[in-house]
């Protein structure tokens, strides 16, 4: 029997990031990130407060210069999870619901992420795009089947 509706790897990992984003405790945007090597998830993260501290959903956002400083970004949490577990992300791919910000882009590049695949544009930063181009890192919107994602989240 031929399976017609099987998700591609990109769709599968983007769907995983989308599901993970539902754990977010951010009031402004729910983001999920998955780090993958050889078609295996090696780390994941979602945006929210530092573990063991009050969440934005409980005490509100802490906005400074237009950004919530209480929240740790999903990409940062995924990188920290890999670091805590002693897992190298060098050469890995990142699947994330939204285009990473400048600070996350810099961290991802320093960590050795080779590819960034995202579902949605979100305040894409010109300098972040320039850095990605300089480092010749592949980054693009991952193909997603919105109807299938809507069933999942």
């Amino acid at each position: 029997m031929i399976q017609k509706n099987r998700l591609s790897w990109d769709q599968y990992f983007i769907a995983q990031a989308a599901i993970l984003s539902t754990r977010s405790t951010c009031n402004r945007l729910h983001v999920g990130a998955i780090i993958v090597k050889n078609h295996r998830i090696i780390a994941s993260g979602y945006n929210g407060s530092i573990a063991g501290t009050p969440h934005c959903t409980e005490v509100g956002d802490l906005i400074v210069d237009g950004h919530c400083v209480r929240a740790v970004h999903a990409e940062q949490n995924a990188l920290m999870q890999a670091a805590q577990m002693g897992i190298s992300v060098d050469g890995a791919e990142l699947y994330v619901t939204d285009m990473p910000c400048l600070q996350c882009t810099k961290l991802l590049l320093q960590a050795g992420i080779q590819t960034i695949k995202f579902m949605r544009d979100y305040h894409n930063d010109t300098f972040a795009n320039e850095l990605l181009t300089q480092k010749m890192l592949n980054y693009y919107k991952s193909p997603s089947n919105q109807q299938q994602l809507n069933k999942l989240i």
Side-chain angles (χ1 to χ4, degrees), residues 7-24:
L7 295 175
S8 70
W9 283 114
D10 283 351
Q11 291 170 330
Y12 172 74
F13 291 124
I14 279 292
Q16 294 290 321
I19 290 168
L20 189 60
S21 74
T22 65
R23 291 279 307 150
S24 170

PDB file of all heavy atoms in Angstrom, residues 7-24:
ATOM      1  N   LEU A   7       4.175  12.813   5.673  1.00  0.00           N
ATOM      2  CA  LEU A   7       4.915  14.071   5.742  1.00  0.00           C
ATOM      3  C   LEU A   7       6.350  13.869   5.287  1.00  0.00           C
ATOM      4  O   LEU A   7       6.959  12.832   5.573  1.00  0.00           O
ATOM      5  CB  LEU A   7       4.937  14.594   7.186  1.00  0.00           C
ATOM      6  CG  LEU A   7       3.617  15.013   7.813  1.00  0.00           C
ATOM      7  CD1 LEU A   7       3.838  15.378   9.276  1.00  0.00           C
ATOM      8  CD2 LEU A   7       2.996  16.164   7.066  1.00  0.00           C
ATOM      9  N   SER A   8       6.905  14.881   4.617  1.00  0.00           N
ATOM     10  CA  SER A   8       8.338  14.868   4.309  1.00  0.00           C
ATOM     11  C   SER A   8       9.092  15.092   5.618  1.00  0.00           C
ATOM     12  O   SER A   8       8.510  15.479   6.635  1.00  0.00           O
ATOM     13  CB  SER A   8       8.672  15.986   3.318  1.00  0.00           C
ATOM     14  OG  SER A   8       8.543  17.255   3.960  1.00  0.00           O
ATOM     15  N   TRP A   9      10.408  14.874   5.609  1.00  0.00           N
ATOM     16  CA  TRP A   9      11.205  15.134   6.815  1.00  0.00           C
ATOM     17  C   TRP A   9      11.039  16.585   7.257  1.00  0.00           C
ATOM     18  O   TRP A   9      10.863  16.867   8.436  1.00  0.00           O
ATOM     19  CB  TRP A   9      12.678  14.820   6.587  1.00  0.00           C
ATOM     20  CG  TRP A   9      12.995  13.356   6.607  1.00  0.00           C
ATOM     21  CD1 TRP A   9      13.435  12.592   5.566  1.00  0.00           C
ATOM     22  CD2 TRP A   9      12.899  12.472   7.738  1.00  0.00           C
ATOM     23  NE1 TRP A   9      13.606  11.291   5.978  1.00  0.00           N
ATOM     24  CE2 TRP A   9      13.291  11.187   7.307  1.00  0.00           C
ATOM     25  CE3 TRP A   9      12.512  12.635   9.063  1.00  0.00           C
ATOM     26  CZ2 TRP A   9      13.320  10.092   8.151  1.00  0.00           C
ATOM     27  CZ3 TRP A   9      12.539  11.532   9.910  1.00  0.00           C
ATOM     28  CH2 TRP A   9      12.940  10.278   9.452  1.00  0.00           C
ATOM     29  N   ASP A  10      11.114  17.515   6.305  1.00  0.00           N
ATOM     30  CA  ASP A  10      10.966  18.936   6.660  1.00  0.00           C
ATOM     31  C   ASP A  10       9.610  19.203   7.295  1.00  0.00           C
ATOM     32  O   ASP A  10       9.505  19.891   8.310  1.00  0.00           O
ATOM     33  CB  ASP A  10      11.150  19.835   5.436  1.00  0.00           C
ATOM     34  CG  ASP A  10      12.598  20.020   5.039  1.00  0.00           C
ATOM     35  OD1 ASP A  10      13.505  19.606   5.797  1.00  0.00           O
ATOM     36  OD2 ASP A  10      12.830  20.583   3.953  1.00  0.00           O
ATOM     37  N   GLN A  11       8.547  18.679   6.707  1.00  0.00           N
ATOM     38  CA  GLN A  11       7.214  18.873   7.266  1.00  0.00           C
ATOM     39  C   GLN A  11       7.093  18.237   8.647  1.00  0.00           C
ATOM     40  O   GLN A  11       6.495  18.819   9.556  1.00  0.00           O
ATOM     41  CB  GLN A  11       6.154  18.282   6.333  1.00  0.00           C
ATOM     42  CG  GLN A  11       5.998  19.041   5.040  1.00  0.00           C
ATOM     43  CD  GLN A  11       5.129  18.295   4.048  1.00  0.00           C
ATOM     44  OE1 GLN A  11       5.076  17.066   4.040  1.00  0.00           O
ATOM     45  NE2 GLN A  11       4.447  19.041   3.185  1.00  0.00           N
ATOM     46  N   TYR A  12       7.677  17.067   8.810  1.00  0.00           N
ATOM     47  CA  TYR A  12       7.632  16.361  10.092  1.00  0.00           C
ATOM     48  C   TYR A  12       8.306  17.181  11.188  1.00  0.00           C
ATOM     49  O   TYR A  12       7.739  17.376  12.269  1.00  0.00           O
ATOM     50  CB  TYR A  12       8.305  15.000   9.940  1.00  0.00           C
ATOM     51  CG  TYR A  12       8.506  14.253  11.237  1.00  0.00           C
ATOM     52  CD1 TYR A  12       7.429  13.647  11.883  1.00  0.00           C
ATOM     53  CD2 TYR A  12       9.765  14.154  11.807  1.00  0.00           C
ATOM     54  CE1 TYR A  12       7.610  12.951  13.079  1.00  0.00           C
ATOM     55  CE2 TYR A  12       9.955  13.463  12.996  1.00  0.00           C
ATOM     56  CZ  TYR A  12       8.878  12.866  13.630  1.00  0.00           C
ATOM     57  OH  TYR A  12       9.062  12.197  14.806  1.00  0.00           O
ATOM     58  N   PHE A  13       9.516  17.689  10.916  1.00  0.00           N
ATOM     59  CA  PHE A  13      10.243  18.426  11.950  1.00  0.00           C
ATOM     60  C   PHE A  13       9.633  19.802  12.205  1.00  0.00           C
ATOM     61  O   PHE A  13       9.614  20.269  13.346  1.00  0.00           O
ATOM     62  CB  PHE A  13      11.735  18.524  11.615  1.00  0.00           C
ATOM     63  CG  PHE A  13      12.438  17.202  11.717  1.00  0.00           C
ATOM     64  CD1 PHE A  13      13.136  16.681  10.645  1.00  0.00           C
ATOM     65  CD2 PHE A  13      12.401  16.463  12.895  1.00  0.00           C
ATOM     66  CE1 PHE A  13      13.781  15.458  10.738  1.00  0.00           C
ATOM     67  CE2 PHE A  13      13.039  15.234  12.997  1.00  0.00           C
ATOM     68  CZ  PHE A  13      13.736  14.727  11.911  1.00  0.00           C
ATOM     69  N   ILE A  14       9.108  20.452  11.178  1.00  0.00           N
ATOM     70  CA  ILE A  14       8.407  21.724  11.395  1.00  0.00           C
ATOM     71  C   ILE A  14       7.158  21.477  12.235  1.00  0.00           C
ATOM     72  O   ILE A  14       6.832  22.262  13.134  1.00  0.00           O
ATOM     73  CB  ILE A  14       8.071  22.415  10.051  1.00  0.00           C
ATOM     74  CG1 ILE A  14       9.304  23.156   9.532  1.00  0.00           C
ATOM     75  CG2 ILE A  14       6.897  23.369  10.173  1.00  0.00           C
ATOM     76  CD1 ILE A  14       9.737  24.373  10.352  1.00  0.00           C
ATOM     77  N   ALA A  15       6.457  20.378  11.981  1.00  0.00           N
ATOM     78  CA  ALA A  15       5.273  20.043  12.781  1.00  0.00           C
ATOM     79  C   ALA A  15       5.674  19.802  14.231  1.00  0.00           C
ATOM     80  O   ALA A  15       4.967  20.232  15.157  1.00  0.00           O
ATOM     81  CB  ALA A  15       4.569  18.811  12.204  1.00  0.00           C
ATOM     82  N   GLN A  16       6.818  19.152  14.459  1.00  0.00           N
ATOM     83  CA  GLN A  16       7.310  18.935  15.819  1.00  0.00           C
ATOM     84  C   GLN A  16       7.579  20.273  16.509  1.00  0.00           C
ATOM     85  O   GLN A  16       7.238  20.457  17.679  1.00  0.00           O
ATOM     86  CB  GLN A  16       8.594  18.089  15.800  1.00  0.00           C
ATOM     87  CG  GLN A  16       8.408  16.683  15.323  1.00  0.00           C
ATOM     88  CD  GLN A  16       7.639  15.833  16.308  1.00  0.00           C
ATOM     89  OE1 GLN A  16       7.811  15.940  17.514  1.00  0.00           O
ATOM     90  NE2 GLN A  16       6.777  14.989  15.797  1.00  0.00           N
ATOM     91  N   ALA A  17       8.202  21.207  15.774  1.00  0.00           N
ATOM     92  CA  ALA A  17       8.469  22.535  16.337  1.00  0.00           C
ATOM     93  C   ALA A  17       7.148  23.251  16.656  1.00  0.00           C
ATOM     94  O   ALA A  17       7.023  23.907  17.694  1.00  0.00           O
ATOM     95  CB  ALA A  17       9.315  23.364  15.375  1.00  0.00           C
ATOM     96  N   ALA A  18       6.166  23.111  15.769  1.00  0.00           N
ATOM     97  CA  ALA A  18       4.865  23.758  15.991  1.00  0.00           C
ATOM     98  C   ALA A  18       4.182  23.181  17.231  1.00  0.00           C
ATOM     99  O   ALA A  18       3.638  23.925  18.050  1.00  0.00           O
ATOM    100  CB  ALA A  18       3.982  23.595  14.756  1.00  0.00           C
ATOM    101  N   ILE A  19       4.229  21.872  17.392  1.00  0.00           N
ATOM    102  CA  ILE A  19       3.636  21.250  18.578  1.00  0.00           C
ATOM    103  C   ILE A  19       4.370  21.722  19.831  1.00  0.00           C
ATOM    104  O   ILE A  19       3.752  22.072  20.838  1.00  0.00           O
ATOM    105  CB  ILE A  19       3.664  19.714  18.466  1.00  0.00           C
ATOM    106  CG1 ILE A  19       2.670  19.255  17.396  1.00  0.00           C
ATOM    107  CG2 ILE A  19       3.340  19.060  19.813  1.00  0.00           C
ATOM    108  CD1 ILE A  19       2.810  17.808  17.000  1.00  0.00           C
ATOM    109  N   LEU A  20       5.683  21.760  19.774  1.00  0.00           N
ATOM    110  CA  LEU A  20       6.482  22.206  20.913  1.00  0.00           C
ATOM    111  C   LEU A  20       6.143  23.644  21.294  1.00  0.00           C
ATOM    112  O   LEU A  20       6.136  23.995  22.477  1.00  0.00           O
ATOM    113  CB  LEU A  20       7.969  22.069  20.586  1.00  0.00           C
ATOM    114  CG  LEU A  20       8.943  22.277  21.713  1.00  0.00           C
ATOM    115  CD1 LEU A  20       8.716  21.279  22.840  1.00  0.00           C
ATOM    116  CD2 LEU A  20      10.357  22.150  21.197  1.00  0.00           C
ATOM    117  N   SER A  21       5.827  24.479  20.311  1.00  0.00           N
ATOM    118  CA  SER A  21       5.507  25.886  20.588  1.00  0.00           C
ATOM    119  C   SER A  21       4.284  26.019  21.497  1.00  0.00           C
ATOM    120  O   SER A  21       4.122  27.041  22.159  1.00  0.00           O
ATOM    121  CB  SER A  21       5.288  26.659  19.291  1.00  0.00           C
ATOM    122  OG  SER A  21       4.048  26.346  18.697  1.00  0.00           O
ATOM    123  N   THR A  22       3.450  24.994  21.556  1.00  0.00           N
ATOM    124  CA  THR A  22       2.264  25.069  22.413  1.00  0.00           C
ATOM    125  C   THR A  22       2.626  25.014  23.893  1.00  0.00           C
ATOM    126  O   THR A  22       1.778  25.279  24.747  1.00  0.00           O
ATOM    127  CB  THR A  22       1.252  23.944  22.083  1.00  0.00           C
ATOM    128  OG1 THR A  22       1.828  22.675  22.381  1.00  0.00           O
ATOM    129  CG2 THR A  22       0.832  23.995  20.618  1.00  0.00           C
ATOM    130  N   ARG A  23       3.884  24.697  24.235  1.00  0.00           N
ATOM    131  CA  ARG A  23       4.372  24.716  25.618  1.00  0.00           C
ATOM    132  C   ARG A  23       4.841  26.112  26.033  1.00  0.00           C
ATOM    133  O   ARG A  23       5.122  26.356  27.206  1.00  0.00           O
ATOM    134  CB  ARG A  23       5.541  23.736  25.781  1.00  0.00           C
ATOM    135  CG  ARG A  23       5.177  22.286  25.684  1.00  0.00           C
ATOM    136  CD  ARG A  23       4.597  21.734  26.960  1.00  0.00           C
ATOM    137  NE  ARG A  23       5.498  22.003  28.088  1.00  0.00           N
ATOM    138  CZ  ARG A  23       5.084  22.183  29.333  1.00  0.00           C
ATOM    139  NH1 ARG A  23       3.819  22.135  29.639  1.00  0.00           N
ATOM    140  NH2 ARG A  23       5.951  22.415  30.294  1.00  0.00           N
ATOM    141  N   SER A  24       4.922  27.026  25.102  1.00  0.00           N
ATOM    142  CA  SER A  24       5.421  28.370  25.372  1.00  0.00           C
ATOM    143  C   SER A  24       4.616  29.055  26.473  1.00  0.00           C
ATOM    144  O   SER A  24       3.406  28.883  26.568  1.00  0.00           O
ATOM    145  CB  SER A  24       5.338  29.210  24.098  1.00  0.00           C
ATOM    146  OG  SER A  24       5.598  30.569  24.370  1.00  0.00           O
TER     147      SER A  24
END
